Amino acid sequence: MAILQFVVYNVLGEASLLIGLLAMIGLLIQHKPADKVVSGTIKTIVGFLIFGIGSGAAQGALNGFQYLFSTAFGLEGVTPISEAITAQAQSAFPMVIALIMVFGFVCNLIIARFTKFKYIFLTGGHSLFLSALLAVLLKALGLSDVLAIVIGSIIHGFAAAIYPAIAQKSMNAVTGTDEIAIGHYCTLAYALSGWLGSKVGDPKDSTENIKLPGWLSMFKDYIVSVSLSVGVFYYIAALVCGKEAVSVVAGSTHWLIYPLMQTLTFTGGLYVIITGVRLFLGEIVPAFVGISEKFIPGAKPALDCPVVFPYAPTATVIGFISAYAAGLICMFIQAAIGTTVMIPVAIPYFFIGATAGVFGNARGGWKGCVLGAFVTGILISVGPAMIYPIMQSVGLSGTSFPETDFNLIGLVFNVIGKLLGKW
C-alpha cells in the first residue's frame, strides 16, 4: 500500500511527470531518435513546470488580495476552494482517495479506448479533487471502503472521458483546431458560456479586436490591462483595510507599495503561465499522436484551463472581472436572505471566470465573454452552497467545491442520499 500511495501521489500526482511520461511514450512509439525523445520529454516537463510556477505566483498574489478583501468588508462564511476541501478529505479518507485516483485514470483509458469519448484527462490536480469529492460523497452514503473505491473509480473514469466532450465544440472555437480538449471540471460552465456567446454576440467582435480611442489603446497591451485592472481591486481593498491590516501580510514592504508589488507579481505570473503553456503544448500535442495511433485512435489530451489563455489574453481579464462581480452579488444576496454565504475566493474565480470568458468570447465576442463569465460566476457561487450540507455530514466544514461539474455530481448524490435517508 505504501508503494501504491508513493506512485499515486509522487508520480501520477505530479502532473508534470505524468504528462512528461506520456510525451516520452508517444515519442518512443513514433520511433523518434533518442535525442528527440530526451529533448521532447524534458521540454514537456519543463514547460509544464513553468506553467506551474506562473500559477503559483499568481495564486500567491491573489491570496493576499483575498485576505485584504475579507478583512476590509468583514466577511465571514464558506470559502469554496478545492485545495482546502481536498486537504480535509485526505485527512479523513486517504486510502480511498488514492485508489479512486489511480483506478479512475485506468478506467479513463479503457473508456477512451472502447467508446466514442476519446479524451484522456491529464490535469492531475483536478483528478485529485474529483477523487476527494467522490470519496466524500460515497462515504457519506455509508459505503464500505472497497465499494467506495470501485464505484468511485468507475464514476471518475466516465467523468474524465465525458466531461471534456461537453465543451469540445467551444474548445475548437477557442483553439481553431480539434487537437486538444479542456481538462478542467467546469466544462458545464464553459460549454454554457460558449453557447450563450453564440446567442448574444459575434466572434468577429472579439475582445482581442476591441478598438480603444487615444490613450486607452494602452489597454490592448496584456501586461498593462492586467496590471491596471487587478491593481484597482487591490488598492480598494488595501485602502479600506487601512495601514495596520495591510502591514500584517505586507511584512517589511510599505503598506502602500504592497498592493502594487502583488499586482505586478500577479501579472508576471500570468505571463509565465502563457510562456509555459506554449512550450509544453508544442511538445505534448505531436507526442500524443503516437499514443493515439498505437493505443487509442483519435485520442485527445484534456489539459488544464490556462491552456486557453494565450488565445484571448484580454478575455481572461474581462472574464475574471465579470465572474467576480457576479460572485459578489451572489454573496450579498445570500447574506440578505439568510442562507449559507459563499465568499468569492479570488483564485478559483480568476481561473474559472477567465476561462469562461475565453470560451464566451470565442463564439460571441466581448458580449459572450461578459455574459458567459457572469453566469459562470453565479454558478460557482450557488453550486457550492447546494452541496455544502453533504460536506458537513462527514465532518468537513468551512469550504466546498466550486467546480460546476463536481456540483452536478454532488446534486445527484444529494438526491440519492435523501432517498436513502442519509441526510
Side-chain angles (χ1 to χ4, degrees):
M1 182 57 64
I3 295 176
L4 179 59
Q5 286 186 329
F6 174 81
V7 172
V8 171
Y9 289 118
N10 296 284
V11 180
L12 297 182
E14 286 286 347
S16 59
L17 295 182
L18 175 60
I19 291 178
L21 178 62
L22 291 173
M24 182 179 70
I25 293 172
L27 293 168
L28 288 172
I29 290 173
Q30 295 177 78
H31 303 291
K32 296 291 185 180
D35 62 318
K36 296 293 184 183
V37 174
V38 173
S39 65
T41 302
I42 291 176
K43 285 182 179 179
T44 299
I45 296 174
V46 171
F48 199 86
L49 288 174
I50 291 174
F51 155 76
I53 291 169
S55 295
Q59 290 185 27
L62 288 178
N63 282 334
F65 168 74
Q66 188 64 41
Y67 168 79
L68 294 180
F69 185 85
S70 298
T71 303
F73 299 100
L75 297 175
E76 293 184 7
V78 176
T79 54
I81 181 168
S82 294
E83 288 82 357
I85 190 69
T86 297
Q88 290 187 27
Q90 280 183 296
S91 297
F93 317 111
M95 182 187 70
V96 176
I97 293 173
L99 293 180
I100 288 177
M101 184 174 176
V102 67
F103 291 128
F105 183 70
V106 173
C107 288
N108 180 194
L109 296 177
I110 294 172
I111 293 166
R113 175 63 180 84
F114 295 105
T115 73
K116 65 178 182 179
F117 298 104
K118 306 294 184 182
Y119 302 94
I120 311 299
F121 199 94
L122 297 178
T123 305
H126 264 230
S127 293
L128 176 61
F129 299 160
L130 176 57
S131 300
L133 170 75
L134 292 170
V136 169
L137 295 176
L138 291 165
K139 292 301 293 182
L141 290 178
L143 300 185
S144 67
D145 287 353
V146 172
L147 200 54
I149 291 166
V150 172
I151 296 175
S153 298
I154 294 172
I155 296 174
H156 191 295
F158 275 101
I162 294 175
Y163 269 129
I166 295 174
Q168 192 59 31
K169 181 177 181 180
S170 292
M171 184 65 172
N172 291 345
V174 170
T175 64
T177 69
D178 192 31
E179 294 181 334
I180 61 174
I182 187 72
H184 197 254
Y185 284 121
C186 283
T187 51
L188 294 172
Y190 302 152
L192 177 61
S193 182
W195 180 80
L196 288 172
S198 69
K199 301 301 179 183
V200 301
D202 188 329
K204 294 180 180 178
D205 298 323
S206 170
T207 55
E208 313 311 300
N209 297 330
I210 294 176
K211 294 182 179 180
L212 299 174
W215 66 273
L216 289 177
S217 61
M218 70 178 180
F219 282 92
K220 287 297 296 175
D221 187 308
Y222 178 58
I223 300 298
V224 175
S225 63
V226 172
S227 298
L228 292 178
S229 57
V230 174
V232 168
F233 279 96
Y234 236 117
Y235 269 103
I236 289 175
L239 292 173
V240 173
C241 276
K243 179 180 178 179
E244 291 186 5
V246 177
S247 297
V248 172
V249 290
S252 59
T253 304
H254 191 279
W255 76 281
L256 288 176
I257 298 298
Y258 176 77
L260 173 63
M261 297 309 300
Q262 291 301 296
T263 295
L264 296 177
T265 298
F266 176 77
T267 305
L270 292 188
Y271 186 81
V272 172
I273 287 174
I274 292 175
T275 302
V277 165
R278 287 171 176 164
L279 177 58
F280 90 80
L281 272 187
E283 301 296 331
I284 189 64
V285 172
F288 216 80
V289 172
I291 297 176
S292 300
E293 292 176 347
K294 186 69 175 181
F295 299 113
I296 309 175
K300 297 182 183 67
L303 305 170
D304 204 355
C305 64
V307 75
V308 305
F309 292 175
Y311 295 97
T314 303
T316 65
V317 180
I318 297 175
F320 164 55
I321 294 173
S322 182
Y324 201 71
L328 293 175
I329 292 172
C330 288
M331 178 189 70
F332 289 122
I333 292 175
Q334 290 165 345
I337 63 178
T339 63
T340 301
V341 177
M342 291 288 145
I343 298 174
V345 181
I347 293 172
Y349 264 86
F350 171 73
F351 286 101
I352 297 171
T355 305
V358 173
F359 273 76
N361 176 70
R363 298 184 65 187
W366 69 268
K367 293 179 181 178
C369 174
V370 173
L371 179 61
F374 189 87
V375 172
T376 295
I378 295 174
L379 293 177
I380 61 178
S381 176
V382 175
M386 296 179 72
I387 68 168
Y388 185 61
I390 305 177
M391 307 294 110
Q392 291 180 305
S393 72
V394 292
L396 308 181
S397 62
T399 184
S400 185
F401 290 97
E403 291 79 7
T404 55
D405 300 357
F406 291 173
N407 290 330
L408 176 61
I409 295 174
L411 291 175
V412 172
F413 271 83
N414 190 38
V415 173
I416 295 173
K418 287 181 177 179
L419 291 175
L420 297 176
K422 296 296 182 179
W423 48 73

